[in-house]
Amino acid sequence: MPIVREIRERAEFGAQQVRSFASQSLSYIREKVSAFNEYIVGKNQNNDQNWSTTTSERNLSAGFISNEDDVTTSGVNLEDSDKRVIFINQQQPQKYCNNHISTAKYSVLSFIPSFLFEQFRRYSNCFFLFIALLQQIPDVSPTGRYTTLVPLIFILSVSALKEIIEDFKRHRADDEINHREIEKLQNGQWVNVKWRNLAVGDIVKVLNNQFFPADLILLSSSEPQGISFIETSNLDGETNLKIRQGLADTSKIVEAKDLAQLQGTIESEPPNRHLYEYNGNFKEINRQVQPLGPDQMLLRGAMLRNTVWVFGIVVYTGHDTKLMRNSTSAPLKRSTVDKLTNTQILMLFFILVVLCVTSAIFNQIWTLNYFMDHWYLGIIDGTKNFAYNLLTFIILYNNLIPISLQVTLELVRFLQAIFINMDIEMYHEESNTPAMARTSNLNEELGMVKYVFTDKTGTLTRNVMEFKKCSIAGQIYSLQDEVEETGEMMSSTSFTVTDGPAQSRLKRNILGHKSDSSVSREFMTLMAICHTVIPENATSTSSYDIADNVGTSSSINVINDDIIYHAASPDERALVYGAKKFGFVFHTRTPTYVEMDALDNTERYEILNVLEFTSSRKRMSIIARNSRGEIKLYCKGADTVIFERLAPHGQQYKDITLKHLEEFATEGLRTLCFAYVDIPDDIYDQWKDTYHKASTALQNRERKVEDAASLIETNLILLGATAIEDKLQDEVPETIAALLDANIKLWVLTGDKQETAINIGYSCRLLQQGMDLIIMNEDSLDSTRTSITRHTSDFLSAASSSCSSSSGEHYKKDNTALIIDGKTLKYALSCELRREFYELCVNCKCVICCRVSPIQKADCIMLVRECSKSKNMWSRNDTVTLAIGDGANDVAMIQRAHVGVGISGVEGLQAACASDYSIAQFRYLRKLLLVHGAWNYSRMCKLILYSFYKNICLYVIELWFAIYSGWSGQILFERWTIGLYNVFFTALPPFAIGIFDKVYSAETLFRNPKIYETFQSARLFNVKVFWIWIGNALIHSVILYWMPMFSYFGDVIWKEGRDGGYLVLGNMVYTYVVVTVCLKAGLITNSWTWLTHCAIWGSILLWFFFMLIYSNIWPIVRVGAVFSGIHNMIFTTPVFWLGLILIPVATLLLDVMIKVIQNRHKTSNAFIPRSSQPRQETKASLTETARLLVRTNVRRVFGTGSTSRSHSTEKRELELKHGFAFSQEENGTLSQSEVIRCYDTNRPKPEGN
């Protein structure tokens, strides 16, 4: 009963709280509505007066604007204390982050703690530091006080020097960016300042083709109404330009003197990483507050295009910018081999402790049993010395873990990096850019890559759209026709209006008034005027800084060329350029009409309406009136949407055009269909009223506008189709094919549109003939879960059915690709679906992620890293990921991946600065992985295993000798020979292996990618292999000690009957060990050079030479007294020379037999499968234009069963089959129609001085 009463009381209290909250909410809403009404009344009564001059007055008279409602578009709730208030043309009262950026690992202050942390993450360094400290205890160390400390300091010094050199290169690359110059307004004048000196509140002037130095608020520009065009491919990978527009009040400021008089403040949200969201207020003195949003934001990393200049005020600087907020701090990366070695060192340490404890216990036992009998040794009761004996054995056995390994690794990696830097085949002559290993610690990681995550724009493609050919009335015309007929080669950029077009087939057809000449003229007219391109006279824009960038999104300004074309869409710019080549030159645009020269005749078209392109419409139309008063609708778009709108009499060329579309798609070209229709005046007048009503509708405006547009876009007459090439980087298809043959999974992560990404997928042969495409475009978590579950179950059913057909699962995996957009990816990467989504991705041959943000790119890499870890204790290795990109939006994934590769491309150097390795083009990745990666992985594995092997061979012998020395800790070898073992006598073979060994030749590895699987699967170095080598070293140490021991068993090894003592035995064993380990190095070496011979045979000779010198320097040099005369004793006994031949041979006999068997097995199985041999293809098949295969099997992820195919699925399949792709900004600041109606190219632009 008390419980029931308590529940009832709590319920009543909760109901009371709800009623109170509801009452307060209703009162609050009434107050807001009342305040809003009062504001409207006041506004009407005082229309010419400013309704408020202060923030408090505005909040009072318009209560709907208040602090508690001040929520940013980023979801940040802004309080007064959180707002960033920026004063215009005044000193800032608050200090903000400076504009200096750094992608380096270290600074002057952080170097020592960060470096020491990185070094002492290695257990070996911690262990050696512990040993060095133990050696400082008096009477404990049998090997001296500094034999460990000095090498440790040397190792750390070498590592520090290498890190300083590599990080200095990063600082130098950062300085190149920080020292760029920009014009800043200072005392009413423009002065050049460095980027790093910019501060929040500075007003800057950015010129065309310049990067924005910080996050800016756009004030005004050279274009009408403060419009500017920006290229964001460096941020999101999209090739089309974005439109930004300044506020109406500031867009009229076009001179520095007016800008200097601007007074007010900007209220801005705190810095965040949301690239496409921003919220702020612009408060000019004595003017109404104006809201600021993403349409006024110019982000650092973007570039100004097609705009002479812009004025902007800095709101975020340096690491506060949205670009840098999407980056992560430079990580301290370690290779998989390094981490595995670190773990095994820890295991060896435990074994060492066990050996030390065991030896100390046996010492106690021996002492208790013999200290009375062997009184002459001065042994007392040893029970009190157990701790001292334990420390002595720890120091004695510490060399089981090779201290020289770290310095050897550092030096070898450094030299390997130099080889990468000096590879002439990875040098790009055009840009004078060599490959650069910016971090040598990951050299071996290049040989274990299983996943490659690549950006698209600028990495796979060149950012160059080029018109190639067109189909008109069933005939194919290309620019190549002009070259063939005139005999002159024309570059893709050198076109001239004044020279006129060549006498091509198309021109002869039109001028000759052949049967299809009218169709050809209408086609070229559509191509020349149906677009949103802005032409400009080149002679009037001398202030343009076009540089050498002739990309798709940039304007073209070439010597002797009279026109610059500004286009937000790279496809449209390519089409206008193509029309120009054929003699239809678009040259004038005003708010009401356009003009073009059609084969030397000027024609004017009045633009009545622009029906804009959207992803759902997949078409764009204009309605124009020609000089004869005829109204025509020109439409371009996807073949599916054009064909379904054709009139019965307009399908004359449909079949032949479809055939040509498939031919174009086979060559990997982007296609558009062209059609037109004549519209009677009365029909147009009726439709115009309908369209106006739709465009002013208050509800469902977008849908009504689309429906109205569809009413007029009917009964079209097909004209033909165009083909545009999105040019790939050199040898991209061949590189991707090689990576796939090497069993490397490839993910394309791009911010571009889905159609464009799929088109490029076919172009670069990532998507192939007969491949199923799983396209996921979901809008909720539940639908994403349903899609993933359904397709995962499809793979499971295929796997179960493969029991009867062994090739079933393999076929399905190799013939499925996943294409997913950014919104669906957000749900797929959630905690609930993370593992299931990974399982689906694993079952696909490749994955293409579209419309993804920089953080999503990094999350995709973390998904693979977290979900693919091996649970096999014998081969526990991380799945190695590699990320490659060229833009600032790729920095996050480059830093998150095991290996980051940056391309020094046209999008800047930020990706290269943040990378571990930088190359000039994507094609060099093939050699970097398949050749350098395979070599370095094989070399480092052998080097590490050999280093442990040679140390155990020698130092475990101290354990065997302890049996005969009463477990006293007595060393068998002379002290300095122990210290010099790793420094001199066995130091060169590891270097020879680590630098010069080649498991296969470069040509063999390059042409046979399947060999890479051997290294990728970590067969050369894993837990099992490591302990096999340790076991092998233990066996060798037994042979190398006990065979000389048995030969010396009678203490007499000279015919005179002389006795030499334990040092004679020790130096005989030492000699056999040096010879054996050097021969072992030769046994595991695959490629012998003269330097390898010098290293192996020279090391053996060096020991004999040292023994000869060292045994004769005392008493001249008072060191090594116990070694005096050893060479006479050793070299004069036949037992030593006989053992020098028999013992190393006997030790390595089993190894030689295993090596012979392995080589015979490798030869008999033809280690290079015939199927992996490169196919002999024709030259045409190796070009970028022979990439797309005709038949495509596309599957859309729906909730319904797989047997039902919707109409939209079939349309998408046809579009992909016919190569449709088109880039155009949607839902921008201004509509496409508004943009073109802002321009009048007959008027000059302001200079902005």
Side-chain angles (χ1 to χ4, degrees):
M1 293 301 292
I3 297 176
V4 174
R5 188 182 301 111
E6 182 180 356
I7 294 174
R8 185 181 296 113
E9 292 175 354
R10 291 187 177 182
E12 292 176 354
F13 178 76
Q16 183 180 357
Q17 292 293 322
V18 170
R19 287 192 297 270
S20 175
F21 178 77
S23 176
Q24 294 175 4
S25 299
L26 289 173
S27 300
Y28 178 77
I29 293 173
R30 291 192 190 98
E31 292 175 2
K32 298 301 178 184
V33 172
S34 176
F36 181 75
N37 291 334
E38 292 175 2
Y39 159 66
I40 294 297
V41 172
K43 184 72 174 179
N44 293 334
Q45 293 175 352
N46 304 285
N47 193 36
D48 297 331
Q49 297 179 3
N50 291 324
W51 63 278
S52 164
T53 56
T54 66
T55 305
S56 59
E57 291 173 352
R58 291 169 188 152
N59 291 338
L60 181 61
S61 59
F64 61 96
I65 303 177
S66 64
N67 289 337
E68 57 192 39
D69 293 329
D70 195 358
V71 180
T72 71
T73 56
S74 309
V76 180
N77 197 7
L78 282 185
E79 301 293 341
D80 287 336
S81 59
D82 296 330
K83 293 178 183 178
R84 171 173 286 196
V85 180
I86 303 167
F87 292 83
I88 304 174
N89 284 321
Q90 297 181 41
Q91 186 73 25
Q92 303 303 317
Q94 183 176 349
K95 187 176 181 180
Y96 300 104
C97 171
N98 60 41
N99 203 39
H100 180 274
I101 65 159
S102 175
T103 59
K105 288 183 180 180
Y106 310 107
S107 66
V108 175
L109 296 178
S110 69
F111 175 74
I112 292 178
S114 298
F115 172 75
L116 292 179
F117 171 77
E118 175 68 14
Q119 292 300 315
F120 286 100
R121 284 202 301 174
R122 297 186 174 101
Y123 296 137
S124 59
N125 286 341
C126 295
F127 173 72
F128 293 129
L129 178 62
F130 171 69
I131 296 298
L133 294 176
L134 287 184
Q135 288 181 329
Q136 307 311 309
I137 302 175
D139 302 327
V140 168
S141 174
T143 57
R145 300 181 63 180
Y146 303 107
T147 54
T148 303
L149 182 61
V150 172
L152 179 61
I153 294 175
F154 177 72
I155 291 170
L156 294 178
S157 301
V158 171
S159 301
L161 182 62
K162 184 180 75 69
E163 290 291 324
I164 289 172
I165 293 174
E166 292 178 350
D167 210 53
F168 175 76
K169 296 177 182 178
R170 297 188 186 95
H171 280 284
R172 189 166 56 183
D174 290 336
D175 288 341
E176 189 275 329
I177 296 175
N178 292 322
H179 285 77
R180 290 177 181 173
E181 291 191 344
I182 194 72
E183 291 186 64
K184 169 186 168 183
L185 186 66
Q186 189 170 318
N187 299 325
Q189 300 292 327
W190 295 113
V191 296
N192 288 326
V193 297
K194 291 182 171 59
W195 279 22
R196 66 176 185 179
N197 295 327
L198 283 181
V200 172
D202 287 346
I203 297 176
V204 297
K205 177 182 179 181
V206 182
L207 302 179
N208 188 54
N209 288 332
Q210 285 186 349
F211 284 104
F212 297 115
D215 287 352
L216 313 175
I217 292 297
L218 175 61
L219 297 176
S220 63
S221 74
S222 61
E223 309 305 301
Q225 299 183 18
I227 294 173
S228 65
F229 296 88
I230 65 170
E231 179 183 302
T232 60
S233 58
N234 201 19
L235 299 173
D236 54 24
E238 292 195 33
T239 54
N240 56 281
L241 300 186
K242 308 292 192 306
I243 298 173
R244 298 291 182 262
Q245 185 178 25
L247 297 175
D249 289 348
T250 62
S251 60
K252 301 175 184 178
I253 301 175
V254 295
E255 294 184 359
K257 62 179 182 179
D258 298 328
L259 200 59
Q261 296 175 1
L262 183 65
Q263 295 293 323
T265 60
I266 292 178
E267 288 185 353
S268 175
E269 65 182 1
N272 58 71
R273 63 181 180 86
H274 302 286
L275 289 174
Y276 309 110
E277 299 173 357
Y278 177 73
N279 190 44
N281 289 322
F282 181 84
K283 297 182 178 182
E284 189 177 357
I285 294 179
N286 298 326
R287 288 184 180 269
Q288 183 178 353
V289 177
Q290 297 187 54
L292 296 173
D295 297 337
Q296 288 77 44
M297 176 61 74
L298 305 175
L299 297 178
R300 177 177 183 137
M303 178 180 282
L304 184 65
R305 293 291 198 188
N306 299 352
T307 309
V308 181
W309 52 263
V310 296
F311 296 155
I313 184 168
V314 178
V315 290
Y316 302 131
T317 51
H319 289 273
D320 280 346
T321 59
K322 292 180 180 289
L323 171 64
M324 298 306 295
R325 288 269 173 164
N326 274 275
S327 302
T328 56
S329 58
L332 300 175
K333 297 182 180 181
R334 299 175 61 196
S335 70
T336 303
V337 171
D338 200 12
K339 288 186 282 188
L340 180 59
T341 303
N342 201 39
T343 305
Q344 303 317 305
I345 286 176
L346 188 62
M347 297 299 298
L348 275 178
F349 175 72
F350 290 137
I351 293 176
L352 185 146
V353 171
V354 171
L355 290 178
C356 294
V357 172
T358 303
S359 298
I361 292 174
F362 277 111
N363 175 267
Q364 294 295 104
I365 295 173
W366 191 92
T367 301
L368 291 174
N369 292 333
Y370 295 105
F371 81 96
M372 294 295 295
D373 297 336
H374 301 284
W375 54 268
Y376 53 88
L377 295 176
I379 301 175
I380 59 175
D381 187 357
T383 56
K384 299 179 181 179
N385 295 325
F386 179 82
Y388 264 79
N389 291 332
L390 180 62
L391 296 179
T392 298
F393 283 115
I394 289 176
I395 295 173
L396 182 64
Y397 298 148
N398 82 88
N399 287 308
L400 291 177
I401 301 172
I403 190 172
S404 63
L405 176 62
Q406 294 302 327
V407 68
T408 304
L409 289 177
E410 297 291 351
L411 293 176
V412 166
R413 284 169 174 158
F414 186 74
L415 293 172
Q416 288 175 350
I418 292 177
F419 287 164
I420 293 175
N421 299 343
M422 297 176 63
D423 192 336
I424 192 65
E425 295 181 5
M426 295 171 64
Y427 169 72
H428 192 241
E429 187 174 1
E430 295 178 13
S431 61
N432 190 28
T433 306
M436 179 177 293
R438 301 168 59 85
T439 302
S440 60
N441 293 337
L442 304 173
N443 292 344
E444 62 270 24
E445 204 84 331
L446 295 171
M448 300 179 65
V449 174
K450 291 186 179 180
Y451 283 85
V452 169
F453 298 84
T454 177
D455 178 42
K456 179 188 74 70
T457 307
T459 303
L460 301 179
T461 64
R462 299 183 185 179
N463 284 347
V464 174
M465 297 283 189
E466 187 175 294
F467 177 83
K468 300 299 290 185
K469 60 183 73 174
C470 57
S471 170
I472 306 175
Q475 297 292 322
I476 294 180
Y477 302 92
S478 68
L479 297 180
Q480 190 65 24
D481 297 336
E482 302 177 18
V483 178
E484 293 173 355
E485 298 190 19
T486 61
E488 298 178 359
M489 182 61 67
M490 295 180 296
S491 100
S492 61
T493 57
S494 59
F495 51 89
T496 306
V497 179
T498 54
D499 295 341
Q503 290 291 330
S504 64
R505 289 191 301 118
L506 180 61
K507 181 176 180 180
R508 292 198 304 268
N509 181 13
I510 296 175
L511 296 179
H513 300 288
K514 295 185 178 180
S515 58
D516 58 353
S517 63
S518 61
V519 176
S520 300
R521 180 175 285 274
E522 292 291 0
F523 183 96
M524 297 309 302
T525 300
L526 189 158
M527 194 168 165
I529 70 172
C530 184
H531 50 71
T532 59
V533 176
I534 309 298
E536 189 168 1
N537 192 328
T539 58
S540 65
T541 56
S542 58
S543 62
Y544 266 77
D545 181 17
I546 302 299
D548 296 324
N549 194 336
V550 193
T552 59
S553 301
S554 64
S555 53
I556 305 297
N557 185 3
V558 190
I559 299 174
N560 297 327
D561 186 40
D562 289 342
I563 293 179
I564 299 170
Y565 285 134
H566 306 302
S569 166
D571 296 85
E572 288 192 335
R573 197 211 65 83
L575 290 174
V576 175
Y577 157 67
K580 186 177 186 180
K581 275 291 193 177
F582 283 114
F584 288 74
V585 183
F586 171 67
H587 59 77
T588 301
R589 180 182 291 282
T590 70
T592 57
Y593 67 87
V594 296
E595 288 183 353
M596 71 170 181
D597 285 339
L599 300 178
D600 300 328
N601 295 318
T602 301
E603 297 183 5
R604 174 178 292 190
Y605 291 85
E606 181 185 357
I607 305 300
L608 302 177
N609 297 91
V610 178
L611 308 180
E612 300 179 6
F613 174 88
T614 65
S615 297
S616 58
R617 280 171 42 81
K618 289 183 169 57
R619 64 188 182 276
M620 173 197 175
S621 302
I622 67 164
I623 301 176
R625 192 194 307 271
N626 60 22
S627 57
R628 296 183 298 276
E630 300 169 338
I631 299 177
K632 295 178 181 288
L633 180 142
Y634 295 104
C635 183
K636 64 182 180 184
D639 54 291
T640 53
V641 298
I642 297 295
F643 289 166
E644 67 185 12
R645 288 167 171 76
L646 295 178
H649 64 279
Q651 303 183 23
Q652 179 180 355
Y653 309 111
K654 180 178 178 181
D655 293 336
I656 188 65
T657 302
L658 276 174
K659 180 180 178 182
H660 290 163
L661 284 173
E662 292 189 354
E663 291 179 5
F664 297 159
T666 304
E667 298 176 6
L669 303 177
R670 300 157 64 98
T671 62
L672 288 172
C673 285
F674 283 10
Y676 87 106
V677 65
D678 291 309
I679 304 176
D681 290 353
D682 57 338
I683 298 297
Y684 173 73
D685 291 338
Q686 295 176 14
W687 174 85
K688 183 172 65 173
D689 293 337
T690 303
Y691 185 76
H692 178 72
K693 291 178 181 179
S695 60
T696 57
L698 297 179
Q699 295 181 347
N700 302 319
R701 179 178 296 179
E702 291 184 3
R703 181 178 60 80
K704 291 180 180 180
V705 168
E706 287 191 11
D707 293 342
S710 298
L711 292 176
I712 199 71
E713 293 171 328
T714 56
N715 296 319
L716 302 178
I717 299 173
L718 182 65
L719 298 173
T722 60
I724 299 172
E725 182 181 20
D726 188 357
K727 296 182 73 67
L728 296 175
Q729 300 277 3
D730 295 336
E731 300 180 24
V732 165
E734 291 76 17
T735 302
I736 288 180
L739 296 179
L740 293 176
D741 285 344
N743 195 32
I744 295 176
K745 299 283 188 179
L746 197 67
W747 289 34
V748 177
L749 310 178
T750 177
D752 217 336
K753 293 183 178 180
Q754 199 169 77
E755 293 85 357
T756 304
I758 293 174
N759 183 274
I760 293 299
Y762 281 110
S763 298
C764 63
R765 292 193 225 166
L766 183 61
L767 305 179
Q768 299 173 354
Q769 182 181 16
M771 181 176 284
D772 293 340
L773 302 186
I774 302 177
I775 301 179
M776 297 181 64
N777 297 318
E778 306 301 330
D779 54 6
S780 68
L781 180 64
D782 291 336
S783 60
T784 304
R785 180 187 293 107
T786 302
S787 301
I788 293 175
T789 303
R790 173 171 165 263
H791 284 280
T792 303
S793 63
D794 287 347
F795 282 111
L796 292 176
S797 61
S800 60
S801 64
S802 67
C803 296
S804 56
S805 176
S806 60
S807 61
E809 184 183 4
H810 177 74
Y811 173 81
K812 193 170 184 66
K813 281 188 176 182
D814 283 355
N815 287 274
T816 305
L818 175 64
I819 292 91
I820 184 171
D821 68 350
K823 187 175 182 180
T824 310
L825 185 64
K826 179 181 69 174
Y827 299 123
L829 293 175
S830 63
C831 296
E832 300 179 39
L833 301 179
R834 200 172 182 85
R835 172 62 65 173
E836 291 77 4
F837 177 63
Y838 171 75
E839 294 297 336
L840 176 62
C841 294
V842 166
N843 285 298
C844 297
K845 185 177 182 180
C846 60
V847 178
I848 299 177
C849 302
C850 315
R851 295 288 194 179
V852 294
S853 66
I855 291 298
Q856 283 182 312
K857 291 184 178 184
D859 288 342
C860 286
I861 294 176
M862 288 308 299
L863 170 74
V864 173
R865 292 188 62 169
E866 293 171 359
C867 297
S868 62
K869 290 184 177 180
S870 174
K871 296 182 180 180
N872 184 352
M873 66 172 294
W874 293 110
S875 59
R876 186 171 296 172
N877 286 307
D878 292 341
T879 297
V880 178
T881 59
L882 180 145
I884 179 171
D886 71 324
N889 61 322
D890 303 317
V891 171
M893 74 169 181
I894 284 174
Q895 293 181 336
R896 193 66 60 87
H898 291 90
V899 181
V901 178
I903 292 182
S904 305
V906 297
E907 295 187 11
L909 296 174
Q910 283 146 310
C913 291
S915 65
D916 305 304
Y917 300 87
S918 64
I919 53 180
Q921 290 196 328
F922 182 82
R923 60 188 166 116
Y924 298 137
L925 184 65
R926 181 177 182 180
K927 186 169 187 184
L928 184 66
L929 296 185
L930 303 188
V931 179
H932 288 287
W935 280 349
N936 292 337
Y937 174 69
S938 172
R939 292 165 176 170
M940 297 305 291
C941 291
K942 290 181 181 179
L943 189 154
I944 293 171
L945 294 171
Y946 177 76
S947 296
F948 281 100
Y949 162 83
K950 67 185 182 68
N951 271 42
I952 290 176
C953 273
L954 180 72
Y955 296 115
V956 169
I957 290 176
E958 298 286 5
L959 176 65
W960 312 138
F961 180 65
I963 299 174
Y964 291 91
S965 64
W967 304 95
S968 61
Q970 171 65 43
I971 55 177
L972 177 62
F973 313 113
E974 196 272 336
R975 178 177 299 178
W976 282 103
T977 58
I978 294 176
L980 296 177
Y981 177 74
N982 286 311
V983 177
F984 287 108
F985 309 130
T986 60
L988 295 180
F991 278 103
I993 294 172
I995 298 173
F996 304 111
D997 187 49
K998 298 178 182 179
V999 63
Y1000 298 113
S1001 67
E1003 184 178 0
T1004 301
L1005 290 169
F1006 194 80
R1007 292 185 178 180
N1008 300 277
K1010 285 190 177 295
I1011 302 176
Y1012 188 78
E1013 293 185 51
T1014 305
F1015 312 101
Q1016 183 190 59
S1017 56
R1019 296 177 191 172
L1020 301 183
F1021 188 77
N1022 51 52
V1023 178
K1024 182 179 179 180
V1025 171
F1026 180 85
W1027 290 102
I1028 287 175
W1029 273 75
I1030 298 300
N1032 181 249
L1034 288 173
I1035 294 172
H1036 286 187
S1037 71
V1038 169
I1039 298 173
L1040 289 169
Y1041 175 74
W1042 292 104
M1043 286 189 70
M1045 186 66 189
F1046 288 145
S1047 68
Y1048 202 16
F1049 192 73
D1051 291 340
V1052 177
I1053 56 175
W1054 292 275
K1055 62 181 180 179
E1056 296 86 355
R1058 290 181 296 171
D1059 185 9
Y1062 79 94
L1063 275 180
V1064 173
L1065 173 64
N1067 283 282
M1068 289 174 60
V1069 172
Y1070 194 96
T1071 303
Y1072 301 151
V1073 169
V1074 170
V1075 173
T1076 302
V1077 298
C1078 288
L1079 293 178
K1080 176 70 173 181
L1083 193 62
I1084 63 175
T1085 298
N1086 293 94
S1087 177
W1088 284 74
T1089 65
W1090 68 271
L1091 291 170
T1092 307
H1093 284 283
C1094 292
I1096 292 175
W1097 307 116
S1099 296
I1100 296 174
L1101 294 176
L1102 181 62
W1103 161 243
F1104 280 94
F1105 181 75
F1106 173 82
M1107 187 163 51
L1108 183 66
I1109 300 298
Y1110 189 49
S1111 60
N1112 287 286
I1113 64 171
W1114 194 88
I1116 300 173
V1117 179
R1118 304 190 66 83
V1119 64
V1122 296
F1123 209 84
S1124 179
I1126 284 292
H1127 74 287
N1128 288 326
M1129 292 184 282
I1130 295 292
F1131 294 162
T1132 57
T1133 173
V1135 175
F1136 168 77
W1137 296 108
L1138 182 63
L1140 187 62
I1141 298 173
L1142 296 180
I1143 293 177
V1145 172
T1147 305
L1148 295 174
L1149 183 61
L1150 181 62
D1151 299 62
V1152 172
M1153 294 174 60
I1154 294 174
K1155 184 76 172 181
V1156 170
I1157 294 173
Q1158 287 178 341
N1159 288 342
R1160 180 169 296 181
H1161 177 74
K1162 183 186 296 184
T1163 305
S1164 64
N1165 285 282
F1167 66 94
I1168 305 172
R1170 189 173 186 82
S1171 60
S1172 69
Q1173 295 286 350
R1175 292 174 294 178
Q1176 298 297 321
E1177 303 182 54
T1178 62
K1179 182 177 180 181
S1181 68
L1182 292 176
T1183 63
E1184 301 110 330
T1185 56
R1187 301 183 288 260
L1188 180 59
L1189 300 165
V1190 176
R1191 295 294 174 185
T1192 306
N1193 196 8
V1194 183
R1195 294 191 293 136
R1196 173 71 158 88
V1197 178
F1198 286 112
T1200 58
S1202 59
T1203 57
S1204 63
R1205 293 172 57 83
S1206 69
H1207 179 61
S1208 62
T1209 304
E1210 295 175 354
K1211 286 178 62 178
R1212 180 179 287 270
E1213 179 177 344
L1214 284 174
E1215 290 165 4
L1216 294 175
K1217 176 181 175 181
H1218 297 152
F1220 164 72
F1222 187 75
S1223 295
Q1224 181 69 276
E1225 184 186 19
E1226 301 177 43
N1227 304 318
T1229 308
L1230 298 176
S1231 66
Q1232 299 157 22
S1233 176
E1234 291 172 330
V1235 170
I1236 61 175
R1237 294 196 186 279
C1238 290
Y1239 279 87
D1240 187 345
T1241 56
N1242 295 320
R1243 295 181 179 179
K1245 293 183 178 181
E1247 298 181 358
N1249 293 329

